[in-house]
Amino acid sequence: MRARWISIVLAAVTAASLTACGSDSANTANTAPTAGSTSGSGVSGPITVFAAASLTESFTQIGKDFEAANPGTTVTFSFAGSSALATQINQGAPADVFASAAPANMKTVTDAGNADGTPQNFAKNQLVIAVPKGNPKNITSLSGLAQPGVKVALCAPQVPCGAAAQKALQAANVQVTPVTQEQDVKAALSKVTLGEVDAALVYRTDAKAAANDVDAVEFPESASAVNEYPIVVLKNAPNQAGAQAFVNYVLSPAAEQVLTNAGFQKP
């Protein structure tokens, strides 16, 4: 009889142990992070993004949205001409992500071995002629920039907006002698808003952002000088996980909508 009771007790203990194990497994399965959730994603800390000046407004918004979707991250931007940013990266400037306004400037970074992976295009942009509100010089085409007495600002040739401007002017067979050549598109646009020039060739997105101060004159030759915008994680990124997460976000529908609202086109 005593042996029979011992057997019953052992059976009960074994059953209880199995039940407990099953319960623990179920609880673990129910509390595991779901795919795409921030919890357990490993995304945190500061992320430094070098981005073309023409991305200032849209990337500032995208950065805020990214931080809201990924608590614990802080995105810091350095906006400038893509050529200057590429030079800084190749000279060892600490950054996690590079977003260029043209493939040529991105290529200088990839050729130097400073990119981690293949750059991906996330937007494209076209030029317009930015003029003061009301278009006092009545500039309606690229040929209007060559009129006597018209002061024009262009981006420097090594800057994406400058290279695009040269392509467009060549397509229109128009020669323009600018009074100034700026190192980024925002600087060229500021010459118009400050009243220092009568017109500037800038991106459509920049003219839209400054719509209270300038009018945008479209011209057909801009179609021959469309700039693609590539983005990539940098090889020596201090925050590799954060950098990749930010690049993924820029390629997401949410960021695409921000870019579209700013006037960018889909790549």
Side-chain angles (χ1 to χ4, degrees):
M1 175 68 96
R2 183 171 179 273
R4 182 167 176 270
W5 275 107
I6 291 174
S7 298
I8 292 173
V9 170
L10 288 174
V13 170
T14 300
S17 297
L18 290 173
T19 301
C21 289
S23 177
D24 289 344
S25 298
N27 289 336
T28 301
N30 289 336
T31 58
T34 57
S37 66
T38 302
S39 176
S41 64
V43 179
S44 63
I47 303 167
T48 302
V49 179
F50 278 21
S54 52
L55 292 166
T56 300
E57 292 82 10
S58 54
F59 261 36
T60 297
Q61 183 59 54
I62 287 172
K64 292 177 181 177
D65 295 343
F66 177 83
E67 289 174 345
N70 296 273
T73 61
T74 303
V75 184
T76 301
F77 294 99
S78 179
F79 294 111
S82 297
S83 57
L85 294 174
T87 298
Q88 292 174 31
I89 291 168
N90 287 342
Q91 290 177 344
D96 297 293
V97 175
F98 179 38
S100 173
N105 302 103
M106 177 62 76
K107 188 173 186 297
T108 65
V109 171
T110 57
D111 285 352
N114 290 322
D116 182 15
T118 303
Q120 298 183 69
N121 293 333
F122 63 93
K124 61 183 181 181
N125 214 348
Q126 285 183 244
L127 296 176
V128 296
I129 304 170
V131 297
K133 295 297 289 185
N135 194 3
K137 292 286 186 176
N138 194 29
I139 297 170
T140 59
S141 66
L142 286 180
S143 61
L145 301 180
Q147 295 175 1
V150 175
K151 293 185 289 185
V152 179
L154 297 178
C155 293
Q158 70 272 18
V159 181
C161 62
Q166 294 303 317
K167 288 182 182 179
L169 290 168
Q170 289 172 7
N173 195 27
V174 172
Q175 289 188 343
V176 173
T177 302
V179 297
T180 181
Q181 292 183 317
E182 301 298 323
Q183 292 303 309
D184 65 66
V185 68
K186 294 296 186 186
L189 181 62
S190 71
K191 296 298 181 180
V192 180
T193 60
L194 293 173
E196 297 179 12
V197 300
D198 302 305
L201 282 177
V202 303
Y203 292 122
R204 181 181 292 163
T205 53
D206 295 290
K208 183 175 181 178
N212 290 335
D213 301 310
V214 303
D215 288 334
V217 178
E218 299 276 353
F219 57 94
E221 294 84 2
S222 67
S224 64
V226 177
N227 276 9
E228 295 276 1
Y229 283 59
I231 189 170
V232 76
V233 174
L234 295 174
K235 182 179 179 181
N236 295 320
N239 187 350
Q240 282 278 342
Q244 188 60 63
F246 182 80
V247 169
N248 291 343
Y249 190 83
V250 169
L251 298 170
S252 74
E256 182 182 278
Q257 188 59 56
V258 173
L259 291 162
T260 300
N261 292 344
F264 287 94
Q265 301 165 333
K266 296 181 181 180

